[in-house]
Amino acid sequence: MVTYSKEHLVTILDNTDILFANIHEVKRVKEMTGRSFDDLKKSISTIVVTCDSSGSKIYCKDKKIDILIVSVKAVDPTGAGDGYRAGFLLAFRKGFPVEVCGKIGSTVASFAVECVGCQTNLPTWDVMKKRYEENFGALP
C-alpha cells in the first residue's frame, strides 16, 4: 500500500468488490484516503478484516459476521493472512455463503501457522474439511 498514491489507492478501492485487509491495513487505508470505514463499506460490497488472534470480521450487505479462529498450537504467524484469503476465495468460487467462506479461511489459516514458513503447511480440501467440521460443524 505504501507504494500507492492517494489517487491510485482511491481508484483501486472504487473498483474493488472484495477487500481483504488486516486491522492495521484498514487504518492505513482510512488515513491515506480520508475515507471512514462506513465510506468504505458503502463502496465495497464485501470487506474482510483479519484481527490476528481475535479472528476476523466480514462486512457484507449491511451486516457484520464475526469469524472465530481455529485454535491450534501456533508456531509462526507468517502466511496466516494469505492462507485465510486462499481458503476464503476457493470457497467463494465454489459458491459457499460468505460466512462459510470466512470459516474456511480461518481453517486454512490454522494450518499456515502450525509450521515455520508462509506456505509450508497448506491442506488439501479433504484435510481442511475435517478440521473445519471439528470446529464449525458440517459444511453446508
Side-chain angles (χ1 to χ4, degrees):
M1 243 185 331
V2 295
T3 60
Y4 295 124
S5 67
K6 175 184 177 178
E7 293 75 24
H8 284 132
L9 184 55
V10 167
T11 300
I12 290 166
L13 292 172
D14 287 344
N15 290 283
T16 297
D17 295 320
I18 302 175
L19 174 66
F20 290 92
N22 64 41
I23 52 177
H24 310 290
E25 291 165 336
V26 169
K27 181 180 177 196
R28 182 78 173 134
V29 166
K30 293 187 320 185
E31 290 170 353
M32 285 180 68
T33 63
R35 293 181 177 181
S36 70
F37 194 69
D38 283 338
D39 292 336
L40 294 173
K41 289 191 301 185
K42 287 176 189 167
S43 65
I44 301 170
S45 60
T46 303
I47 300 176
V48 181
V49 181
T50 55
C51 307
D52 303 324
S53 62
S54 297
S56 61
K57 298 175 184 332
I58 302 171
Y59 300 87
C60 182
K61 299 180 182 154
D62 294 327
K63 69 180 184 176
K64 179 179 90 165
I65 304 165
D66 291 311
I67 304 294
L68 299 174
I69 64 163
V70 172
S71 189
V72 296
K73 183 177 186 220
V75 175
D76 182 5
T78 307
D82 293 333
Y84 184 102
R85 281 185 295 280
F88 184 104
L89 290 169
L90 177 60
F92 188 81
R93 291 256 319 157
K94 288 179 172 275
F96 285 99
V98 171
E99 182 172 356
V100 174
C101 294
K103 291 175 180 178
I104 289 173
S106 181
T107 304
V108 173
S110 75
F111 286 93
V113 302
E114 286 183 308
C115 293
V116 175
C118 60
Q119 303 210 2
T120 56
N121 196 39
L122 295 178
T124 64
W125 182 263
D126 290 336
V127 170
M128 180 285 303
K129 183 179 176 191
K130 182 177 187 278
R131 184 174 288 181
Y132 176 101
E133 291 179 346
E134 290 168 351
N135 285 273
F136 299 111
L139 274 171

